[in-house]
Amino acid sequence: MTLRQTLHALPRDARDTLFLLCVIAWVIAPQVNVLPVWACLLAGGLLLWRGWLAWKGRPLPTRWVLAIPLILAVGGTLYTHRTILGRDAGVTLIVMLLALKMLELRARRDAMVVFFLGFFTMLSNFFFSQSLFTAAAMLVALLGLLAAVVNAHMPVGRPPLTQTLRTAGTMALLGAPIMAALFMLFPRMAPLWGMPSDTMAGRSGLSGVMKVGNIAELALDDSVAMRVRFDTPNGAPPPQSDLYFRGPVFGAFDGVEWHPLGARSGDMLQSSPSTLANLQVRGEPVRYEVTLEAHQRPWLLLLDAAATKPAISGMDTLMTQDLQWLTNRPITAVVRYKAESHPDFSHGPSAPTPSLRAYTELPASFNPRTLALAQQMRNDPQIAPNPAQNNAEALVNAALARLRTGGYTYTLEPGVYGQHTADEFWFDRKEGFCEHIASSFVVLMRALDIPARIVTGYQGGDRNPVDGLWTLRQADAHAWAEVWLAGRGWVRVDPTGAVAPGRTGAFERLRAPQGALAAAMGTVLSPGLAQSLRAVWEAVNNSWNQWVLDYTQSRQLDLLKALGFEAPSWQDLTMVLGFLIIFAALAGMAWSLWERSQHDPWLRLLARARQRLARAGLVLPPTLPPRAMAERVQAQFGAPAAAVADWLLRLERLRYAPQPDTEWSHLRREFNTLPWPPASKH
């Protein structure tokens, strides 16, 4: 017996239960990567148990038996999250309750509880991701849950699943215009999906500290970090040497990790308060629009250097003394903002200040060979011909020349560095990724008594040929250096460009080795086709971000302006929405009346005749045909009702024998002139 035949042979309750279990599993599946491992295993075990009971026709467990997994679920939630409140703990608990409730599915009331829990669990998927893929998966889940609801309201017979799915699809289509109108016009509050995360666990992107090796790990992540649309006639970006999107700046080094100067932890990074930015810009700005993916941090990514404040709906922004732009809360959802940057700029003090000493500090007992190299370079007359003068720029050029000619290699797999990271890079390994090179370069600069710091962000990117946007991925994460030079202030120096000029000059990226799945796909699809499909998907996903996730209150008001409102407000928005709801109600009423008029007019006329006879005291069953009704009329009322009996006979002939169209019109008009028996007093 095939699986199809086996399913067809199952009782109706078992079949509907198995269908509902599949829908619930589909609803929970997207949360597997955010739920604790024990919760995934327990929920999966409970659903499989319920499916086995339905398949075998076994009775459901008692409540005392269900108390054991319930206690385990609550206890596990408390142990994992230390609370049952909040996003992560709440979602874990609601998933466990949904799986447990399936083992109590005895009556329609239990089914209704399962449906409500299923809809809420479906909604909770958007707490973690609002991507187009998640929305499409939840649309399928919605149709499945609606079909299960339809099944629950069709208790008689054995309706096929195709019929219930068709009904569910019709319900969804009828509700789609209303949902679209509510989405467009319902006043926008603080976004529900922008609720803060309970923890920063699992975040992707740049970090608040830099440990040698962190950015190399990001190079393994090919997900999109941000998209940029340049405001130029052809959408072309600035020169490649200017595509540095600035992120966290690190000025403090403890020998192992780099931290923001003046802050060892925390999201709101603070530079040294006594070091002023002194930003001076020159020339025409580069105007562009950024769509930044959620990274659970409060920093924005802008091209060096933005002098004007980027505007983000619902957020305040500020610039620190080291030119990093921050928001007043973490970026927990896709945001879009416009900015202006000046590639030609200078910043920082032009003359030495006491605050610059913090950028020359190094931890004791670290990298002794690098310190010795710095002393050797200072004493080298070819590099510093006059030790009494400031030879900072010459020393910087000498360090870059050493990187270009010393046999150094740019690689994703330099191995694990030990305690003296700069020593190992300069003298032993001579290979590393951008943060190995930048960190070792800054340590050498500080050993030379030149103020220096590390800047992290993104560099480069590639253009999507479908929508023309410049796409930067996590793999484009980069670290470079800034050194302070007298009379010039802080100057960008990218030592990685000295080791691998193609990294910053031709956007040549180091790519991680392909996995088994990617290699298999590569044998099926040509590289060009795979790249085209990827570009199309990312363009579609970006359109989703732009038109759905980034549909803010300001865009709602812009919609009202397009409708003719000069100075729209939320009151105008509410008024338009109210008129639309009234119009929808009237349209629904008209559609209901039209549908009613489409019913069989012959049956409606026969029903009216039955009502007239019932008033006269002759109550006839609705299943009685007109000929039998005529016999009852003659028997009850005699000769005075002969015309009524004749009319009923002619109505029956019209139903079962071809008659001219005029006969139907004549019968309808004659209905009101017939000598109906008078209404009975009883």
Side-chain angles (χ1 to χ4, degrees), residues 255-299:
V256 179
E257 294 180 335
W258 288 90
H259 300 263
L261 189 62
R264 294 284 173 166
S265 62
D267 291 331
M268 296 300 291
L269 306 183
Q270 298 294 331
S271 297
S272 173
S274 58
T275 304
L276 300 179
N278 291 333
L279 176 61
Q280 298 179 1
V281 296
R282 296 173 290 274
E284 288 296 320
V286 175
R287 297 178 176 86
Y288 54 98
E289 182 182 71
V290 177
T291 303
L292 181 63
E293 297 290 329
H295 53 71
Q296 313 301 332
R297 293 291 192 174
W299 50 63

Side-chain angles (χ1 to χ4, degrees), residues 343-532:
D344 187 7
F345 68 96
S346 61
H347 76 290
S350 58
T353 62
S355 60
L356 291 174
R357 298 304 305 170
Y359 293 99
T360 60
E361 294 178 355
L362 288 171
S365 304
F366 281 88
N367 303 299
R369 288 185 288 173
T370 303
L371 298 179
L373 173 62
Q375 184 63 39
Q376 177 185 345
M377 293 175 65
R378 276 197 299 263
N379 296 333
D380 188 343
Q382 294 183 351
I383 299 176
N386 188 354
Q389 295 181 354
N390 185 359
N391 298 292
E393 191 167 353
L395 293 170
V396 170
N397 292 330
L400 294 175
R402 184 183 183 93
L403 289 172
R404 281 191 292 268
T405 60
Y408 294 92
T409 306
Y410 178 58
T411 177
L412 266 178
E413 300 176 346
V416 180
Y417 274 61
Q419 176 183 0
H420 305 293
T421 56
D423 284 357
E424 290 188 39
F425 174 78
W426 286 113
F427 301 101
D428 300 329
R429 300 176 183 270
K430 292 191 175 183
E431 60 181 12
F433 199 56
C434 60
E435 75 267 34
H436 302 85
I437 304 171
S439 176
S440 302
F441 180 83
V442 171
V443 169
L444 178 60
M445 290 297 102
R446 292 190 174 195
L448 290 166
D449 205 30
I450 299 174
R453 62 193 184 190
I454 291 179
V455 184
T456 59
Y458 296 91
Q459 199 278 332
D462 51 14
R463 185 178 181 273
N464 189 318
V466 177
D467 56 13
L469 296 184
W470 201 255
T471 304
L472 289 97
R473 309 178 186 278
Q474 299 297 350
D476 295 316
H478 191 52
W480 59 94
E482 283 185 340
V483 298
W484 183 86
L485 300 176
R488 298 178 61 186
W490 289 103
V491 178
R492 180 199 304 141
V493 179
D494 193 345
T496 302
V499 177
R503 169 61 181 88
T504 57
F507 298 153
E508 296 174 358
R509 303 292 183 264
L510 294 178
R511 301 301 182 188
Q514 288 187 336
L517 178 61
M521 291 297 295
T523 61
V524 178
L525 301 177
S526 65
L529 178 59
Q531 189 68 22
S532 299

Side-chain angles (χ1 to χ4, degrees), residues 120-144:
F120 187 83
T121 306
M122 182 185 71
L123 189 70
S124 67
N125 280 280
F126 294 101
F127 293 163
F128 303 97
S129 172
Q130 302 91 47
S131 67
L132 180 59
F133 178 80
T134 301
M138 290 305 101
L139 178 60
V140 174
L142 173 65
L143 294 176

